[in-house]
Amino acid sequence: MARIGRFRNDAARDTYLRAYAAMEGLWPVPSTTADVPTAYGTTYVRRSGSGDGLPLVLLHGYGGNGLYWHDVVEALAGDRAVVALDTVGAAGRSVQTAPLHDDADYGAWFAQVLDGLGLGRVHLLGESLGAWHASLVALHASDRVASLSLIEPNGVVTRTPFRALARVLWFGVNPTDEGWRRVSEWLAPGTRPTDAELECMKAAQGYRTAAGWARPLKDTELASVVPPLLALYGERSVVSEPHAARRRLAERLPSAEVEIFPGAGHGVRGQVPDQVAALVSRFVARHDVDR
């Protein structure tokens, strides 16, 4: 049965909102925020930048929120508006009131957010679980997506390795501070979250998510993706299979562009933010046509 995401109790919500407010200090550029009503609840959006390019909409990964794009937003917003969403059904400032029953509902939700913002077609960038949500939008609301960029789309092009799922589940039942450190190093070798990010991640454990889980796209689904696709992977990713993903995309969606960053892991965006932002910016600029 489809669920509605919610905090476990008022105390969990208050803890999370305090951590969220502290994390807002990491956002490096001016922004405006809004609560956009949809049939699934209100969606919290943060908008920065301006310019002639089509807007770029960002969908965050599991346990995150729109603020986690703070390390790349300035570069991405150089010639266009960038809109970071708190995905409905996930921890954040969005408030879900109705379930998303199936994959198509993500397309409907996204289209309603764009309508509420007065936007037509946009570029779309998703990371990790947000790459799954972005893929569903591209399948079910393709007329609103000018290009699709996916960072570490684990479980979308290829299955997430069982050993990785087992480690994540083990951590879920033992989320100590040392466990957080070890998981962060495992996902993104050589980096560590800021104190504000870590507190927000921990506070997100007080939210019962209803944002769904990624599944590998069927061959027919992958082949039917209409927007130009860019997929970015970390070569040392423990939750994706970058080279297998490249082979499958070459077979099923030959137009897709794939970049694998040597030495990087699942947290490639945080490990080499300048390189990721530059690559995405060049890709969306090549597809900056509002048809």
Side-chain angles (χ1 to χ4, degrees), residues 176-190:
T176 63
D177 285 351
E178 176 63 15
W180 280 106
R181 188 193 66 77
R182 289 178 177 273
V183 165
S184 295
E185 175 64 25
W186 175 61
L187 292 173

Side-chain angles (χ1 to χ4, degrees), residues 259-281:
E259 184 74 22
I260 300 174
F261 291 84
H266 181 63
V268 58
R269 189 256 310 151
Q271 290 174 284
V272 287
D274 293 343
Q275 294 180 47
V276 168
L279 195 58
V280 171
S281 294

Side-chain angles (χ1 to χ4, degrees), residues 26-29 48-49 58 69-78 82 84 277:
L26 299 177
W27 200 256
V29 291
S48 294
L58 313 178
W69 297 99
H70 66 86
D71 54 357
V72 292
V73 64
E74 187 169 10
L76 294 175
V82 172

